[in-house]
Amino acid sequence: MLAGGIGGARFLRGLKDALDNREAPTTTGTEITVIGNTGDDITLFGLRVCPDLDTVMYTLGGGINEEQGWGRADETFSVRTELAAYGMQPQWFGLGDRDMATHIVRAQMMAAGYPLSAITEALCDRWQPGVRLLPMSDDRVETHVLVNEGEGQRAIHFQEWWVRHRAAIDAESIVSVGAADAKPAPGVLEAIDTADFVVLPPSNPVVSVGSILGVPGIREAVAATTVVGVSPIIGGAPVRGMADACLKAIGVRTSAEAVAAHYGADLLDGWLVDEADAHTRVPGIEVRALPLYMSTPETTEAIAAAALDLAGELSGVDTGRSTR
Amino acid sequence: MLAGGIGGARFLRGLKDALDNREAPTTTGTEITVIGNTGDDITLFGLRVCPDLDTVMYTLGGGINEEQGWGRADETFSVRTELAAYGMQPQWFGLGDRDMATHIVRAQMMAAGYPLSAITEALCDRWQPGVRLLPMSDDRVETHVLVNEGEGQRAIHFQEWWVRHRAAIDAESIVSVGAADAKPAPGVLEAIDTADFVVLPPSNPVVSVGSILGVPGIREAVAATTVVGVSPIIGGAPVRGMADACLKAIGVRTSAEAVAAHYGADLLDGWLVDEADAHTRVPGIEVRALPLYMSTPETTEAIAAAALDLAGELSGVDTGRSTR
């Protein structure tokens, strides 16, 4: 699976539940490798923050703030309050105290020379997410957004656009700085090459999945296997977040059909859309319609089960049957 | 004043109170410059911790944990708990969340190239301690302790000896690493040269005051002016802390008299001792006995007032009279 943050993490939990409720032995011992987006990583106060990797890790490891979908449960904000009292900038990124410890460990390991993939593995030693979590790259790839302001164009970090401006400033373009020279992290291409199939969760198709596919070599590897995606757009609006602002920036309509066409039939083999989008047709892509809101663990598991069914059908791999 | 941590900070508060309760105009506009010990500074989790500077800053700025004497009031420990959950070492140094923000700001400014003196000034912009707080040096000077363990001698950071081992391992010697090549921070020598007199609070004579005096140039400058000290030893025991373990390491008896003799008559002009030590005699040093426990703000102010009286007497500077 290629994963962004909240949507990817929640879908992933549904996927684990779905696999747990399948007939043995076909799915026994199934391993999930998650290739996480690192394009919205940011250095704040000298600490290295990897929002998407952490959201996956906390969600599967039982440490997530469930209501919010990101950050830690039972969080406190003493450090943030004090940094603001010192006038430290930026103040628009709300790092909690518990969460901050993760970024302190990561920054320490980075300073000691460890690559992000090794650091992620070390952090997961504690969280035991039950999946293999790999960053898309150990190289620094940062999503920047070109915005028009009074005086002219300016490139800002994705987080500044997303969190500070709530994507309310029009994006002229979205650039993946460093992507051209980045290499997939160790294990990424091998995981894709040996996978039975690849699942694209309802993550942001531009700055999450798109960012991962932008690392040279990953798109080609993914395209060579069976790929089933879950639409992040329902009835012309993003399921959550502000994916429409990102799609607009790259000239793609906010529709399940347009996103599938954007991924392309060379990449995507199957596409799950909501019943509201049952009319979706993209040549070369098998479309199935079902309720697509991940409103409860049960509905999320049902979507993941449908993805497994479709992936099994398209790949010829026996993905078993749900025992539910 | 040359200051260590808790004892220095509390005495300093008494000194400010004493100056506030003196006849105008002799003491109006009096400025206190505090030269703080940085020998027990330590880098932890990539953050730069300056315990003595912070204790002075928090104490005078109203942010101190009064019961404990160090650290922040209303502190939380989320980051520490989480770092321990990741297995991060060391776990024997208890950094609170609020306190940690100070070290994050400091580490950030250090990474940006600011010297510690400029950083301390920036931090004090928030805390407004009402004194000019200067680190003894912008250079890295670290107190290390040579200890005997099973296999042989080992040098450990002062904090490891003090906080982790509670000074319970015998110290073979105490070394001020980097002191020989250190320069006094900007303003330090000028402040001493232009001071009416210098006060030594009841701080640790070895690892606090001794560390400051060990920066080349500072001892000579201090010796050239009138110096009044307050004994940190009462009746053969340290007022607080484990100063006896430090004195033992440098071969000095734990007595008010021995500490005065250790400072030396070339440095020290006046010495305040407790009534229990009224017998103290050191050739060339004027000794006064009075109750020396800083148990309340009032008793602390009385000790500081006595220091002002003695300093005025010895230096010829009009230090006014207490209006209390």
Side-chain angles (χ1 to χ4, degrees):
Chain A
M1 196 174 112
L2 313 188
I6 306 176
R10 287 189 174 160
F11 180 80
L12 197 45
R13 195 154 53 179
L15 190 61
K16 285 181 68 186
D17 288 344
L19 282 168
D20 286 344
N21 294 315
R22 292 250 149 181
E23 284 165 350
T26 46
T27 56
T28 306
T30 298
E31 283 179 13
I32 304 177
T33 298
V34 178
I35 299 167
N37 170 43
T38 59
D40 46 8
D41 293 3
I42 189 168
T43 297
L44 291 169
F45 315 117
L47 312 176
R48 189 69 182 163
V49 185
C50 300
D52 285 358
L53 294 179
D54 289 347
T55 295
V56 169
M57 189 172 75
Y58 294 159
T59 300
L60 297 186
I64 200 79
N65 178 324
E66 290 288 349
E67 296 71 44
Q68 194 170 250
W70 54 271
R72 294 289 312 278
D74 306 316
E75 188 55 290
T76 60
F77 293 91
S78 297
V79 178
R80 183 189 187 185
T81 303
E82 291 296 318
L83 289 175
Y86 279 117
M88 284 285 275
Q89 297 295 341
Q91 294 178 11
W92 46 261
F93 201 94
L95 286 180
D97 299 329
R98 290 185 190 282
D99 188 34
M100 197 170 289
T102 301
H103 315 316
I104 290 175
V105 174
R106 185 182 286 120
Q108 278 281 276
M109 290 189 73
M110 281 194 157
Y114 290 94
L116 182 58
S117 51
I119 296 169
T120 304
E121 193 179 345
L123 295 171
C124 285
D125 266 354
R126 171 184 174 197
W127 289 104
Q128 297 289 323
V131 300
R132 186 167 168 232
L133 179 61
L134 302 176
M136 64 192 202
S137 179
D138 278 338
D139 300 319
R140 194 146 166 177
V141 177
E142 259 183 20
T143 306
H144 286 202
V145 179
L146 201 64
V147 296
N148 267 321
E149 285 186 318
E151 328 77 57
Q153 287 195 324
R154 191 166 74 92
I156 59 179
H157 190 285
F158 171 73
Q159 295 294 356
E160 186 171 356
W161 183 62
W162 195 252
V163 176
R164 183 182 193 182
H165 299 295
R166 313 295 307 160
I169 307 178
D170 271 356
E172 289 291 312
S173 65
I174 295 176
V175 187
S176 200
V177 179
D181 301 318
K183 285 186 295 294
V188 165
L189 294 183
E190 294 76 0
I192 298 169
D193 289 345
T194 59
D196 290 322
F197 48 84
V198 170
V199 177
L200 306 185
S203 290
N204 189 308
V206 184
V207 295
S208 295
V209 178
S211 166
I212 301 170
L213 293 173
V215 176
I218 295 189
R219 189 189 167 93
E220 293 70 17
V222 172
T225 184
T226 301
V227 180
V228 170
V230 181
S231 175
I233 307 295
I234 296 183
V239 176
R240 60 162 294 124
M242 302 159 287
D244 45 344
C246 298
L247 288 167
K248 189 179 170 194
I250 63 163
V252 173
R253 272 186 309 116
T254 302
S255 76
E257 194 168 276
V259 170
H262 169 65
Y263 279 140
D266 63 316
L267 184 90
L268 209 56
D269 301 289
W271 190 233
L272 299 185
V273 300
D274 188 71
E275 291 170 325
D277 301 306
H279 58 277
T280 301
R281 298 283 180 278
V282 185
I285 299 175
E286 180 73 21
V287 177
R288 297 280 159 86
L290 73 163
L292 223 57
Y293 280 109
M294 300 190 291
S295 42
T296 66
E298 291 71 29
T299 56
T300 307
E301 182 183 335
I303 300 165
L308 288 176
D309 289 340
L310 183 54
E313 200 178 306
L314 295 172
S315 66
V317 172
D318 179 5
T319 55
R321 276 166 177 275
S322 176
T323 54
R324 290 231 168 181
Chain B
M1 197 174 111
L2 315 187
I6 305 175
R10 286 188 174 162
F11 180 80
L12 195 45
R13 194 154 56 178
L15 190 61
K16 283 180 69 185
D17 287 344
L19 282 168
D20 285 344
N21 294 316
R22 292 250 148 181
E23 284 166 349
T26 46
T27 56
T28 305
T30 298
E31 282 180 14
I32 304 177
T33 298
V34 179
I35 299 166
N37 170 43
T38 59
D40 46 9
D41 294 1
I42 188 167
T43 298
L44 291 169
F45 314 116
L47 312 176
R48 189 69 182 164
V49 184
C50 299
D52 285 359
L53 294 180
D54 288 347
T55 295
V56 169
M57 188 171 76
Y58 294 158
T59 300
L60 298 186
I64 200 79
N65 178 324
E66 289 288 350
E67 297 71 44
Q68 194 171 249
W70 54 273
R72 293 289 311 278
D74 306 316
E75 189 56 289
T76 60
F77 293 90
S78 298
V79 178
R80 183 191 187 185
T81 303
E82 292 296 317
L83 289 175
Y86 279 117
M88 284 287 276
Q89 298 294 341
Q91 294 178 11
W92 46 261
F93 201 93
L95 287 180
D97 298 329
R98 290 185 190 281
D99 189 32
M100 196 170 290
T102 302
H103 316 315
I104 289 175
V105 174
R106 186 181 286 120
Q108 278 279 277
M109 290 190 72
M110 282 195 156
Y114 290 95
L116 183 58
S117 51
I119 297 169
T120 304
E121 194 179 345
L123 294 171
C124 285
D125 266 354
R126 171 185 174 194
W127 289 103
Q128 297 290 324
V131 300
R132 185 165 170 235
L133 179 60
L134 303 175
M136 66 191 200
S137 178
D138 279 338
D139 300 319
R140 195 147 167 176
V141 178
E142 258 182 21
T143 306
H144 286 202
V145 179
L146 202 63
V147 296
N148 268 322
E149 286 186 316
E151 328 76 59
Q153 287 194 325
R154 192 166 72 93
I156 59 178
H157 191 285
F158 171 73
Q159 295 294 355
E160 186 172 356
W161 183 62
W162 196 251
V163 176
R164 183 181 194 183
H165 298 295
R166 313 297 307 162
I169 306 178
D170 271 357
E172 288 292 311
S173 65
I174 294 175
V175 187
S176 201
V177 178
D181 300 318
K183 285 186 296 294
V188 165
L189 293 184
E190 294 76 359
I192 299 169
D193 289 346
T194 59
D196 289 322
F197 47 84
V198 170
V199 177
L200 307 185
S203 291
N204 189 308
V206 184
V207 295
S208 295
V209 177
S211 166
I212 301 170
L213 293 173
V215 176
I218 294 188
R219 188 188 167 95
E220 294 69 16
V222 172
T225 185
T226 302
V227 180
V228 170
V230 181
S231 175
I233 306 295
I234 296 182
V239 177
R240 59 162 292 124
M242 302 159 287
D244 46 343
C246 298
L247 288 166
K248 189 179 170 195
I250 63 163
V252 173
R253 271 186 310 114
T254 302
S255 76
E257 194 168 277
V259 170
H262 169 66
Y263 279 139
D266 63 317
L267 183 89
L268 209 54
D269 300 289
W271 189 233
L272 299 185
V273 301
D274 189 72
E275 291 170 324
D277 301 306
H279 58 276
T280 300
R281 298 284 180 277
V282 185
I285 299 175
E286 181 73 21
V287 176
R288 296 281 160 85
L290 73 162
L292 223 54
Y293 280 109
M294 300 191 290
S295 42
T296 66
E298 291 70 30
T299 56
T300 308
E301 181 183 336
I303 300 164
L308 287 177
D309 289 340
L310 183 54
E313 199 178 306
L314 295 173
S315 65
V317 172
D318 179 5
T319 56
R321 274 166 179 277
S322 176
T323 55
R324 291 231 168 180

